Amino acid sequence: MFRKNYFTFLLTITLFLISSVVIFAQNSPVNGRVELKKADGTTEPVAGALIEVFRIDIKSKLPAGKTDKKGNFAFAGLPLGAKLAFSISAPNISPEIFPNVRAGTQNMVITVSAGNGKQWTEDEVRQALASPTSTGTTEKSNAELTAEQKKQKAEYDKQVAEIAAKNEKVKNSTAIIQKSLEEGQKAFDAKNYDLAIIKFDEGYNADPDFAGSAPVLLNNKALALKSRGFDFYKKSVTDSANKASLMEMVKKDFTDSINASQKALDILKTATTTDANLQKSYDSNKVAALSNMVETYRLTLETKADESKIQEAVATLEAYLLTQTDVAIKTKVALNVADAIRKTGNSDAAIPLYRKILEISPDQPEALAGLGLSLFNSGAVADANGQKQEGKAQMQEGLDLMQRFVDVSPTKPDDTQQMKELKASVKEAVDYLKTQNLAPQKTKTTSTKKKT
């Protein structure tokens, strides 16, 4: 009678080097338009308006931009979390300052009025920003305005007040986000995952719905949780007295990591834009979230923190693979997940993954061995349960694949420990199958036929 998880690798610490690289996003695109509000209340785009970018948290001026013929502008990447202000100038308009700009904002609308076309100096911009009463626009006095213009001005002033209130909120949240990113990264680099998680949470909670920063902070938090969970696992290996409680902590951190990544994905699902640079930022954060989820599910299965998450792992893997075009990356990630599933003893779930890998990378050695071992295990179980014909067919196919693995991957002095263990498992399986009157059949190409 065979155990379903027969001939699997032994779990060793060396197999669990976390491969994810933490990349803390530092820049995010900004786009919008500049429009002129005319005396009759209508608006028109301002073409060729100069938009100068100033950092307010430090004395620094960033590269400027100009609006196109439709009044649209776009900056490919401004510092995430920095305090920024725009100074807008163009012929026949009054200079305007738009304070509290934050990286990641899209579809900004900057309204200007007619004027003399002055361009403010950097010192004038900074002085105006320092003055709580300065608006940056030269206004006519109320005495010079008609009744209709006064009405329009009152409506405009109301809008300005609302924007000012929102800007103040943005200013406060931006400062928190910037600080949390810096302190969180520093803590992560020092492997102080407890502090890193707290800091990334602080930044996320400052503006949990802002697609320009929330997914970045959630992804960073997810990486910190995964790293802390893996540390708990390593402790559990050597601390048998506290193994059970430590493994509960492993399970919780891995689960929380996956949930944080999923929350980032949920935010990005509703984040739509026509700006190519901003969309690139969204796509990058989506890939980062999926990558972390796939790796965390793999660790969840391999550490045996929760072996019930096979379906979720496969679904996330499929979503991640859709974002990749590099065959080597797709093969490596899929192989890691397939191996993790096989080691849980669920060979039936691992088999289709290995087949897909061989469709992508024919004769990939580890996939040949993994599929061969999985078919052998499933065949042995079927045979033991009285399904003789099906069991024999699976074991024969598994033997053929394992022989193919031996042919394409001969033993080498520089084989890794993982490869040595894999070859030992294959040899043990092949030796057993030969005692069952089975012999490997020569095949011209790798067998990937479906289970019958």
Side-chain angles (χ1 to χ4, degrees), residues 162-237:
E162 291 174 351
I163 292 172
K166 291 179 180 179
N167 283 343
E168 185 63 24
K169 181 180 179 181
V170 168
K171 178 181 178 181
N172 294 334
S173 64
T174 298
I176 295 171
I177 290 168
Q178 175 67 17
K179 185 178 180 181
S180 71
L181 277 171
E182 293 173 353
E183 294 182 351
Q185 180 173 356
K186 184 177 179 180
F188 187 96
D189 291 342
K191 301 188 184 301
N192 187 347
Y193 302 126
D194 292 344
L195 180 59
I197 292 164
I198 291 171
K199 290 301 176 181
F200 292 138
D201 252 343
E202 287 177 359
Y204 164 70
N205 290 327
D207 199 344
D209 299 318
F210 181 45
S213 61
V216 174
L217 289 154
L218 286 167
N219 282 338
N220 290 345
K221 176 186 175 182
L223 287 170
L225 283 163
K226 178 180 68 178
S227 299
R228 187 175 71 177
F230 186 68
D231 274 358
F232 285 141
Y233 170 72
K234 289 188 290 186
K235 291 178 183 177
S236 76
V237 174

Side-chain angles (χ1 to χ4, degrees), residues 25-294:
Q26 299 296 334
N27 297 286
S28 193
V30 173
N31 66 63
R33 70 180 185 276
V34 177
E35 58 183 29
L36 172 67
K37 187 168 185 178
K38 298 187 290 187
D40 61 1
T42 61
T43 61
E44 64 180 28
V46 180
L50 176 66
I51 303 176
E52 297 176 281
V53 185
F54 298 94
R55 284 194 66 164
I56 308 305
D57 49 343
I58 60 174
K59 190 171 183 180
S60 174
K61 183 178 179 181
L62 304 179
K66 281 193 173 184
T67 57
D68 61 18
K69 62 183 180 180
K70 295 183 179 180
N72 297 319
F73 66 87
F75 292 92
L78 296 179
L80 185 63
K83 297 178 182 179
L84 305 168
F86 286 171
S87 175
I88 299 92
S89 59
N92 302 319
I93 74 166
S94 292
E96 182 73 26
I97 297 175
F98 200 92
N100 300 326
V101 178
R102 61 177 174 177
T105 301
Q106 60 174 319
N107 300 325
M108 294 174 58
V109 178
I110 300 176
T111 304
V112 297
S113 58
N116 59 12
K118 174 181 171 61
Q119 179 182 346
W120 283 13
T121 66
E122 180 174 350
D123 286 341
E124 288 174 323
V125 171
R126 294 190 181 280
Q127 288 172 10
L129 288 167
S131 172
T133 59
S134 175
T135 64
T137 304
T138 302
E139 299 284 354
K140 293 181 179 180
S141 67
N142 286 339
E144 297 175 334
L145 299 177
T146 65
E148 180 60 27
Q149 287 174 330
K150 288 180 180 179
K151 180 180 178 182
Q152 292 174 2
K153 182 178 183 301
E155 292 176 353
Y156 178 74
D157 288 345
K158 180 181 178 182
Q159 292 175 359
V160 169
E162 291 174 351
I163 292 172
K166 291 179 180 179
N167 283 343
E168 185 63 24
K169 181 180 179 181
V170 168
K171 178 181 178 181
N172 294 334
S173 64
T174 298
I176 295 171
I177 290 168
Q178 175 67 17
K179 185 178 180 181
S180 71
L181 277 171
E182 293 173 353
E183 294 182 351
Q185 180 173 356
K186 184 177 179 180
F188 187 96
D189 291 342
K191 301 188 184 301
N192 187 347
Y193 302 126
D194 292 344
L195 180 59
I197 292 164
I198 291 171
K199 290 301 176 181
F200 292 138
D201 252 343
E202 287 177 359
Y204 164 70
N205 290 327
D207 199 344
D209 299 318
F210 181 45
S213 61
V216 174
L217 289 154
L218 286 167
N219 282 338
N220 290 345
K221 176 186 175 182
L223 287 170
L225 283 163
K226 178 180 68 178
S227 299
R228 187 175 71 177
F230 186 68
D231 274 358
F232 285 141
Y233 170 72
K234 289 188 290 186
K235 291 178 183 177
S236 76
V237 174
T238 58
D239 188 354
S240 57
N242 297 302
K243 184 178 180 65
S245 61
L246 285 167
M247 286 306 298
E248 282 300 315
M249 296 164 75
V250 173
K251 180 178 178 180
K252 184 179 187 308
D253 272 358
F254 285 169
T255 300
D256 289 346
S257 175
I258 290 168
N259 290 340
S261 295
Q262 183 59 58
K263 193 177 292 184
L265 291 175
D266 292 341
I267 293 172
L268 292 168
K269 282 179 183 177
T270 58
T272 57
T273 179
T274 57
D275 184 272
N277 290 312
L278 191 56
Q279 188 60 55
K280 184 178 179 180
S281 176
Y282 291 165
D283 292 342
S284 177
N285 284 320
K286 177 183 177 181
V287 173
L290 286 169
S291 176
N292 183 71
M293 289 178 73
V294 170

Side-chain angles (χ1 to χ4, degrees), residues 6-18:
Y6 197 62
F7 294 127
T8 60
F9 298 139
L10 293 176
L11 185 64
T12 62
I13 292 295
T14 56
L15 296 183
F16 291 109
L17 296 177
I18 297 178

Side-chain angles (χ1 to χ4, degrees), residues 345-362:
N346 195 329
S347 297
D348 290 342
I351 287 171
L353 281 183
Y354 284 123
R355 291 193 189 281
K356 287 182 180 179
I357 294 167
L358 291 172
E359 289 174 2
I360 298 172
S361 302

